[in-house]
Amino acid sequence: MVFELSLFELLLGAFFCSFATVLIVLFAKRLAHRTQKPKPREARFTAEVRDVLVGTLRNRLQLETCLENKFYHIPASRLSQNDFPVRYVAIYRSNHKFGPDAGISVYGKVSQCSLVPRFKISEIPKNSREMYYRFDIEEWKTLSAPIASRERDFVNIMTTLYLLENSREVPELMLSSREEHILYRKISSCISGESNVRKIPYGTMDILFDGGRISVTQPGKELFACTYADFSKRPAAFFRLMASLSEQGGK
């Protein structure tokens, strides 16, 4: 059987074929745009979720009890709502109370968080109605390498899981992102003599090393400077200033 088509029907068919082709091309371009790799960002720090509570202890007995019973507790007054959710807990042993055993070596994932009066924490009895957060832990794990205290004690801090698993010393836990941590390692290598690099480019800025001094510069001007010792003690403050200058374009 042979079908005869009018000129109008032929033109109409050609129109729909062309329209379908245009739709396919547009869809393909949109899909390619969505799946292509993002362009590298300009130099800037991107903060990450700080959901790891690094908590301190009163004594060795508390350490043994918390490890044996898989929990950690802390006064509710020490945490704010901005600190939640807490997904992991790491135990910090202070220089003052643990001496040569100071640092961080164990952490665990939180299975349950409860707000309870202190007297309900029966593992370590205390007749007090002060409100505490109790964090029950699935399992305490050991870090592949302990984090040294570097003679720095604190009450408690929040950090990221990445920093917990990749830091060598406690000051690194105060950093905000992986970018900061990578740059921290580069700077530490320069000031320790492991690296002979005397300049690290960062965005529109340069980080220079000379005579125990770190200076951050732009062409024709020094933005700020600090000693090697100051950087080692307070790297987070150094990077906060770097981030601020990056946002302002180095002004």
Side-chain angles (χ1 to χ4, degrees), residues 49-54 83 85-90 107 157-162 164:
V49 177
R50 308 183 79 81
D51 57 0
V52 180
L53 168 64
V54 182
D83 294 325
V86 175
R87 296 187 175 93
Y88 297 87
V89 172
Y107 74 104
I157 60 173
M158 298 298 297
T159 190
T160 70
L161 186 60
Y162 171 84
L164 182 71

Coordinates of all heavy atoms in Angstrom, one line a residue, residues 49-54 83 85-90 107 157-162 164:
V49 N 32.5 21.5 58.1 CA 31.7 21.3 59.3 C 32.6 20.8 60.4 O 33.3 19.8 60.3 CB 30.6 20.2 58.9 CG1 29.8 19.9 60.2 CG2 29.7 20.7 57.8
R50 N 32.4 21.4 61.6 CA 33.2 21.1 62.8 C 32.3 20.3 63.7 O 31.6 20.8 64.5 CB 33.7 22.3 63.5 CG 34.5 23.2 62.5 CD 35.1 24.4 63.2 NE 36.3 24.1 63.9 CZ 37.5 24.0 63.3 NH1 37.6 24.2 62.0 NH2 38.6 23.7 64.0
D51 N 32.3 19.0 63.5 CA 31.3 18.1 64.2 C 32.1 17.1 65.1 O 31.5 16.1 65.5 CB 30.4 17.3 63.2 CG 31.2 16.5 62.2 OD1 32.4 16.5 62.2 OD2 30.5 15.9 61.4
V52 N 33.3 17.4 65.4 CA 34.1 16.5 66.3 C 34.4 17.3 67.6 O 35.1 18.3 67.6 CB 35.4 16.1 65.7 CG1 36.2 15.2 66.6 CG2 35.2 15.4 64.3
L53 N 33.9 16.8 68.7 CA 34.2 17.4 70.0 C 35.5 16.8 70.5 O 35.6 15.6 70.7 CB 33.0 17.1 71.0 CG 33.3 17.4 72.4 CD1 33.5 18.9 72.7 CD2 32.1 16.9 73.3
V54 N 36.4 17.7 70.8 CA 37.7 17.2 71.5 C 37.5 17.6 73.0 O 37.6 18.8 73.3 CB 38.9 17.9 70.8 CG1 40.2 17.3 71.5 CG2 38.9 17.6 69.3
D83 N 27.5 24.3 68.3 CA 28.4 23.2 68.3 C 27.8 21.9 67.8 O 28.5 20.9 67.6 CB 29.0 23.0 69.7 CG 29.9 24.2 70.1 OD1 30.6 24.7 69.2 OD2 29.8 24.5 71.3
P85 N 25.3 19.4 65.2 CA 25.4 18.1 65.9 C 26.8 17.7 66.1 O 27.7 18.0 65.3 CB 24.7 17.2 64.9 CG 25.0 17.8 63.5 CD 24.9 19.3 63.8
V86 N 27.0 17.0 67.2 CA 28.3 16.4 67.5 C 28.3 14.9 67.1 O 27.5 14.1 67.6 CB 28.6 16.4 69.1 CG1 29.9 15.7 69.4 CG2 28.7 17.9 69.5
R87 N 29.1 14.6 66.1 CA 29.1 13.3 65.5 C 30.2 12.4 66.0 O 30.1 11.2 65.9 CB 29.1 13.4 64.0 CG 27.9 14.1 63.4 CD 27.9 14.0 61.8 NE 26.6 14.5 61.3 CZ 26.5 15.8 60.9 NH1 27.5 16.6 61.0 NH2 25.4 16.3 60.4
Y88 N 31.3 13.0 66.5 CA 32.4 12.3 67.0 C 32.9 12.9 68.3 O 32.8 14.1 68.4 CB 33.5 12.2 66.0 CG 33.2 11.5 64.7 CD1 32.6 12.2 63.6 CD2 33.5 10.1 64.5 CE1 32.3 11.5 62.5 CE2 33.1 9.5 63.4 CZ 32.5 10.2 62.3 OH 32.2 9.5 61.2
V89 N 33.5 12.1 69.1 CA 34.2 12.6 70.3 C 35.6 12.1 70.3 O 35.9 10.9 70.1 CB 33.5 12.2 71.6 CG1 34.3 12.6 72.8 CG2 32.1 12.8 71.7
A90 N 36.6 13.0 70.5 CA 38.0 12.6 70.7 C 38.4 13.0 72.1 O 38.0 14.1 72.6 CB 38.9 13.3 69.7
Y107 N 39.3 8.2 69.6 CA 38.1 8.9 69.2 C 37.0 7.9 68.9 O 37.3 6.7 68.7 CB 38.4 9.8 68.0 CG 38.5 9.1 66.7 CD1 37.4 9.1 65.8 CD2 39.6 8.4 66.4 CE1 37.5 8.5 64.6 CE2 39.7 7.7 65.2 CZ 38.7 7.8 64.3 OH 38.7 7.1 63.1
I157 N 37.3 21.8 72.4 CA 37.3 22.5 71.1 C 36.5 21.7 70.2 O 36.3 20.5 70.4 CB 38.7 22.8 70.5 CG1 39.4 21.4 70.3 CG2 39.5 23.7 71.4 CD1 40.7 21.6 69.6
M158 N 36.0 22.3 69.1 CA 35.4 21.6 68.0 C 36.3 21.6 66.8 O 37.0 22.6 66.5 CB 34.1 22.2 67.6 CG 33.0 22.3 68.7 SD 32.5 20.6 69.3 CE 31.7 20.0 67.8
T159 N 36.4 20.4 66.1 CA 37.3 20.3 64.9 C 36.6 19.5 63.9 O 35.4 19.1 64.0 CB 38.7 19.8 65.3 OG1 39.5 19.9 64.1 CG2 38.6 18.3 65.7
T160 N 37.3 19.2 62.8 CA 36.7 18.3 61.7 C 37.3 16.9 61.8 O 38.4 16.8 62.3 CB 36.9 18.9 60.3 OG1 38.3 18.8 60.0 CG2 36.5 20.4 60.3
L161 N 36.6 16.0 61.2 CA 37.1 14.6 61.2 C 38.4 14.6 60.3 O 39.4 13.8 60.7 CB 36.1 13.7 60.6 CG 36.4 12.2 60.7 CD1 36.7 11.7 62.1 CD2 35.3 11.3 60.0
Y162 N 38.4 15.3 59.2 CA 39.6 15.3 58.4 C 40.8 15.8 59.2 O 41.9 15.2 59.2 CB 39.4 16.2 57.2 CG 40.7 16.5 56.4 CD1 41.1 15.6 55.5 CD2 41.5 17.6 56.7 CE1 42.3 15.8 54.8 CE2 42.7 17.8 56.0 CZ 43.1 16.9 55.0 OH 44.3 17.1 54.3
L164 N 41.2 15.8 62.5 CA 41.5 14.8 63.5 C 42.4 13.7 63.0 O 43.3 13.2 63.6 CB 40.2 14.3 64.1 CG 40.4 13.3 65.3 CD1 40.9 14.0 66.5 CD2 39.1 12.6 65.6

